Amino acid sequence: MDLNFMIQILPRLLRASLTTIQVSLLSLLLGTLFGLLMGMIRVLGPRFLHPFVNAYVTFVRGTPVAVQIYAAFFLLPRIGLNWSLFEISVFALTFNSVGYQIEIIRAALQSIDKGQHEAAAAIGLGKWKAMWLITLPQAAQRMIPPLTNELANLIKASSVLSIIALYELTRAGEAIIASTFRYAEVLILMSILYFLMIQSLTEGSNYLEKNVFNFRTSRIKTRKIKQPAG
Amino acid sequence: MNMNGAHPLLKVKNLTKKFGDHFAIKEANLEVMRGERVVLIGPSGSGKSTLLRCINYLEVPTSGTVWLDGEYIGGRYNDDGSWVKDSPSQLTKKRQHIGMVFQSFNLFAHLSALDNVTLGPRWVLNMPKKEAVEIAQQLLEKVHLEEHSHKLPAQLSGGQQQRVAIARALAMNPKLMLFDEPTSALDPRLTNEVLDVMLELAEEKMTMIVVTHEIGFAREVADVVFFLEEATIVESAPPALLFSDPKDERTRQFLVDCNILK
Ligand SMILES: Nc1ncnc2c1ncn2[C@@H]1O[C@H](COP(=O)(O)OP(=O)(O)OP(=O)(O)O)[C@@H](O)[C@H]1O
Ligand SMILES: [Mg+2]
């Protein structure tokens, strides 16, 4: 193993890692936006829309991400969209992620205690207001762990984008191997970089879950309950 | 119309709720005057909760009507006598006039005590924040929790949570308050702090229907006590009468089982 070689290729791999993170995070966030919309439709929306949402979920889950990426790559230009490789990549991964996020979001929304909905109804809140003010904020906390998992999946799935030549980490590694044939060093560095990306994003979301969304313990430090005298 | 010429605030007519083939409440009739305090008692499964939950349509009755202060809950009669069901938004609007307190408190878990109380006024009544907070603070004071207004439900005792829940319901300025076993999840000391608040409400002539096993509360507060068994209202009478000399044998048996009658 050649440390000097590794140090020499590190900047290239780091720059490609940045693309990996950008594609994955952007797809996660866009996926959450559409996932929330479709998840809420699935929970509260008119019944005739449910089969469409279900069909979408079944389709995404039933086809390989490589096929979805190829489809985006070849079909988007056919319908007149002249998108960059990066945009096509974000589209493909978002399309994929929405299929998984709908189920994550639906499960979290439906896990909120029935009593919360009844209390909301009893003070005269309509179902969409109750969704926005009561259900969604509480479900948000429960969505974070599975969404973190989804982000890790997206980072790994983004390596498949190398098939349409997006210059992300896997593509960059492949290119270096093709020109130098020194696969051991490249693969070790790639593994470490993927691991670090996934690990740091996971830690970040753990922090979010514990400190920002945790309404059971956060905000007020003292958990002691002052009992009235008597 | 009763003797002093008062009109009923609430009229429940022939109310029936079936779950499958099973009657949870059968042909219930009930009239409550403005300012009247009603207590429902009866064995477990007799349909007390169902009757209460049908009044604000948390449970949609299988048949029968609920009329509150000039309008039917859940629908209305057309000029030609046909019944038109309320849309979800119409029903939502009517519900705000009926406050409900649950056995399991059901405070909004992510909101402070204060925010629990202001939520209804702000988002249902569209009150400005400042005004809603003022009202909420007064109500939290009324239930003796002014010092806990910033706390989350998980940081409050059961008794405190239930008092916040009462304040939350009162914030909507309801015409009628429903209590479904509000103290059943509490130990005796916490029970008393909740009953004290309910007692104050009763003294202010808040119209209320209370499902409870607290016979002491019923004796002290109720204008009339209803006894339910097997989905039917068996009889009703003022507490002094019902608890000492019930007309129906089933009521007598229940009171004996509860050690209220010898
Ligand atoms: N959602 C439901 N689905 C099916 N059956 C129900 C449902 N809710 C109530 N029941 C049945 O209806 C009957 C009356 O129930 P209800 O909860 O009104 O009784 P209750 O008098 O409030 O009893 P408790 O004192 O235990 O609270 C019971 O036999 C119960 O099993
Ligand atoms: Mg009950």
Side-chain angles (χ1 to χ4, degrees), chain B residues 1-237:
Chain B
M1 228 185 261
N2 76 0
M3 286 177 301
N4 13 346
H7 292 277
L9 177 75
L10 174 78
K11 288 192 265 186
V12 174
K13 270 211 186 115
N14 298 329
L15 188 123
T16 296
K17 175 69 187 180
K18 284 168 90 173
F19 291 105
D21 287 338
H22 176 79
F23 284 95
I25 188 79
K26 197 172 175 178
E27 297 286 316
N29 286 289
L30 182 78
E31 281 195 4
V32 180
M33 301 293 155
R34 206 177 292 278
E36 199 173 23
R37 291 136 308 189
V38 174
V39 165
L40 307 182
I41 60 168
S44 182
S46 55
K48 308 180 295 293
S49 297
T50 305
L51 174 56
L52 217 58
R53 292 162 57 81
C54 280
I55 289 175
N56 70 353
Y57 266 63
L58 278 184
E59 218 70 79
V60 178
T62 309
S63 61
T65 55
V66 178
W67 179 95
L68 179 80
D69 200 21
E71 60 185 4
Y72 287 95
I73 310 288
R76 72 199 134 83
Y77 284 109
N78 259 350
D79 293 340
D80 63 5
S82 61
W83 177 254
V84 193
K85 258 173 66 174
D86 278 342
S87 69
S89 65
Q90 286 170 320
L91 182 56
T92 295
K93 226 182 161 100
K94 291 179 183 174
R95 274 203 187 108
Q96 71 190 50
H97 303 301
I98 307 176
M100 181 141 193
V101 175
F102 303 86
Q103 181 176 347
S104 49
F105 327 135
N106 295 346
L107 287 184
F108 303 129
H110 62 304
L111 297 178
S112 70
L114 187 76
D115 291 342
N116 262 277
V117 183
T118 56
L119 190 118
R122 286 190 64 195
W123 296 94
V124 178
L125 305 177
N126 296 320
M127 204 181 272
K129 182 173 181 183
K130 194 162 158 267
E131 202 182 330
V133 169
E134 255 167 47
I135 289 176
Q137 275 166 343
Q138 281 166 16
L139 285 168
L140 286 173
E141 207 167 306
K142 186 184 173 85
V143 299
H144 317 298
L145 286 173
E146 60 275 21
E147 279 157 33
H148 301 274
S149 63
H150 60 287
K151 288 189 183 167
L152 292 166
Q155 295 166 318
L156 296 170
S157 73
Q160 291 170 332
Q161 287 187 52
Q162 193 60 299
R163 286 182 283 149
V164 175
I166 292 173
R168 174 177 68 180
L170 291 175
M172 297 301 293
N173 199 14
K175 296 173 179 171
L176 168 71
M177 284 283 285
L178 307 175
F179 295 84
D180 191 0
E181 301 200 29
T183 60
S184 294
L186 303 174
D187 66 35
R189 191 176 51 124
L190 299 185
T191 294
N192 282 334
E193 56 181 60
V194 171
L195 289 181
D196 284 346
V197 166
M198 292 171 61
L199 229 94
E200 281 169 40
L201 275 183
E203 273 160 18
E204 293 163 15
K205 287 263 171 187
M206 167 62 79
T207 314
M208 52 210 261
I209 306 179
V210 184
V211 174
T212 186
H213 298 297
E214 299 290 334
I215 300 299
F217 176 82
R219 264 190 221 283
E220 193 168 340
V221 165
D223 297 303
V224 54
V225 178
F226 282 73
F227 173 69
L228 281 77
E229 192 181 76
E230 290 182 2
T232 351
I233 296 178
V234 173
E235 68 176 298
S236 65

Side-chain angles (χ1 to χ4, degrees), chain A residues 109-141:
Chain A
L109 292 176
Q110 289 178 339
S111 75
I112 301 304
D113 180 37
K114 190 167 147 252
Q116 299 283 309
H117 299 118
E118 292 190 342
I123 58 169
L125 274 183
K127 64 175 182 175
W128 286 103
K129 271 190 189 168
M131 166 63 80
W132 185 248
L133 296 169
I134 311 295
T135 317
L136 198 55
Q138 293 188 35
Q141 189 195 19

